[in-house]
Amino acid sequence: MNKGLLVVISGPSGAGKGTIYSKVIERTGMKRSVSVTTRKPRPGEVEGVNYFFRTEEQYQQMIAEDAFLETAAVYHNYYGTPKAPVFENLEKGFDVLFEVDIHGVKSIKKKYPEAVAIFVMTPDFETLSDRLRGRGTESEDSLKIRLGAAKRELGSYEMFDYIVFNDEVERAIQDVIDIVNAEKRRIKNNLPQIKHLLGKE
Amino acid sequence: MNKGLLVVISGPSGAGKGTIYSKVIERTGMKRSVSVTTRKPRPGEVEGVNYFFRTEEQYQQMIAEDAFLETAAVYHNYYGTPKAPVFENLEKGFDVLFEVDIHGVKSIKKKYPEAVAIFVMTPDFETLSDRLRGRGTESEDSLKIRLGAAKRELGSYEMFDYIVFNDEVERAIQDVIDIVNAEKRRIKNNLPQIKHLLGKE
């Protein structure tokens, strides 16, 4: 049986990767990953559904055991993607989709080079700036910081396999779905089946 | 501007590559290639539409000038894909689709390594055998020869980028269209646009 695909979506804040991520999960049934965090559960959050909640000591132990595909600190809390459940899904033939930041992509590509990385970008930086401004929550200073970060992120394009320009969100969602489907047709992702047909296993 | 893609479809006789090729051209508007041949025109065939008709001397001259992406002899006539019109289309940003045999794929990949090669195959060899038998035109001997050839062709899978299993023809057509769309999103096929956005050209 062919293994599942590990696909990661990244891109600057405001490019729309969150919406695309949710819609692709919804339409394809790809598996999402449940993160491990040291943050305290909020009311209604369920262990193993929203997050795996761990103490900082447990978390550090997991880091020491190389149990994460990627891990990051946000406001004194850790968030990480645990390897084991992801690799189990891939072995069972399920495709997995993550939404991660640029550091996450770098880490995942290092630990699992077969991962497919998609960069989601607006058609240009003016559009990104307009969208961020349209949120009405960004000061001009924070806007400048976000645009600078976006440029650095796009500057890391060599880390990625694909770029989807989110001009029209339905088109961008379909582009990601097409990329996943195409990747599943790649020769290297069909070797078990090809070798089976050739009577070589 | 990004260049167009050169995509080649190949696969064993009976796998349905001809139908898929025609439908993909019809639905996407990808450019086809007009072959050069030494065969005499049949009634109704138009120069530059069905073929470019050339004398054997002219054809040999074109071979000497390395003017072909691939060339083959069939029953004492030559058939070849001329480079110039294909490269012109690619430069203009048009995607081009060919249907060629396994030798054609090898030659094209050698002369234009960026070409994307798709192998069209039935789900298994039994289905291929059934389809060939269903034509009612194959003797048992020719069936054996065709199946042997099909196995050798699949054995050349490393030459290809993708494999599409033609179980249900509409699905297979869509797979090829998805592959083309995904390839157009590849980072390496968007470098002019990315560098433009980064202000590097």
Side-chain angles (χ1 to χ4, degrees), chain A residues 17-155:
Chain A
K17 62 182 186 297
T19 308
I20 294 170
Y21 167 79
S22 307
K23 290 288 177 187
V24 171
I25 292 273
E26 193 181 303
R27 295 185 194 174
T28 61
M30 289 175 81
K31 302 284 180 191
R32 55 175 82 226
S33 140
V34 177
S35 296
V36 177
T37 186
T38 58
R39 207 198 71 201
K40 297 277 168 286
R42 293 178 189 146
E45 284 187 339
V46 178
E47 163 74 14
V49 175
N50 303 95
Y51 287 98
F52 296 108
F53 296 99
R54 296 290 179 270
T55 65
E56 184 154 340
E57 196 188 351
Q58 289 170 326
Y59 199 98
Q60 292 297 345
Q61 180 64 29
M62 287 182 76
I63 292 179
E65 288 164 357
D66 192 26
F68 288 112
L69 273 169
E70 52 100 25
T71 171
V74 184
Y75 299 119
H76 309 294
N77 288 309
Y78 287 100
Y79 295 83
T81 305
K83 274 183 188 171
V86 174
F87 287 179
E88 273 166 35
N89 272 322
L90 297 177
E91 283 303 325
K92 286 181 194 158
F94 293 122
D95 303 318
V96 184
L97 186 67
F98 298 166
E99 182 201 342
V100 288
D101 70 10
I102 201 95
H103 306 289
V105 175
K106 195 171 180 178
S107 171
I108 290 169
K109 276 279 191 180
K110 195 171 164 188
K111 301 198 180 197
Y112 193 74
E114 306 96 307
V116 175
I118 304 174
F119 193 84
V120 174
M121 176 61 191
T122 46
D124 48 51
F125 286 105
E126 290 70 39
T127 310
L128 187 66
S129 167
D130 291 348
R131 286 195 199 164
L132 289 168
R133 202 171 265 124
R135 290 178 173 179
T137 55
E138 307 280 336
S139 69
E140 283 303 308
D141 275 357
S142 89
L143 197 74
K144 264 189 200 157
I145 291 169
R146 285 197 188 276
L147 283 174
K151 254 194 170 161
R152 281 194 306 278
E153 287 173 39
L154 181 60

Side-chain angles (χ1 to χ4, degrees), chain B residues 4-53:
Chain B
L5 282 181
L6 173 51
V7 182
V8 298
I9 293 185
S10 193
S13 182
K17 63 182 185 298
T19 307
I20 294 170
Y21 167 79
S22 307
K23 290 289 178 188
V24 172
I25 292 272
E26 194 181 303
R27 293 184 195 176
T28 61
M30 289 175 80
K31 302 284 180 189
R32 54 173 84 225
S33 139
V34 177
S35 296
V36 176
T37 186
T38 57
R39 207 196 71 201
K40 295 279 167 287
R42 292 178 188 146
E45 284 186 340
V46 177
E47 163 75 14
V49 176
N50 303 94
Y51 288 96
F52 296 106
F53 296 99

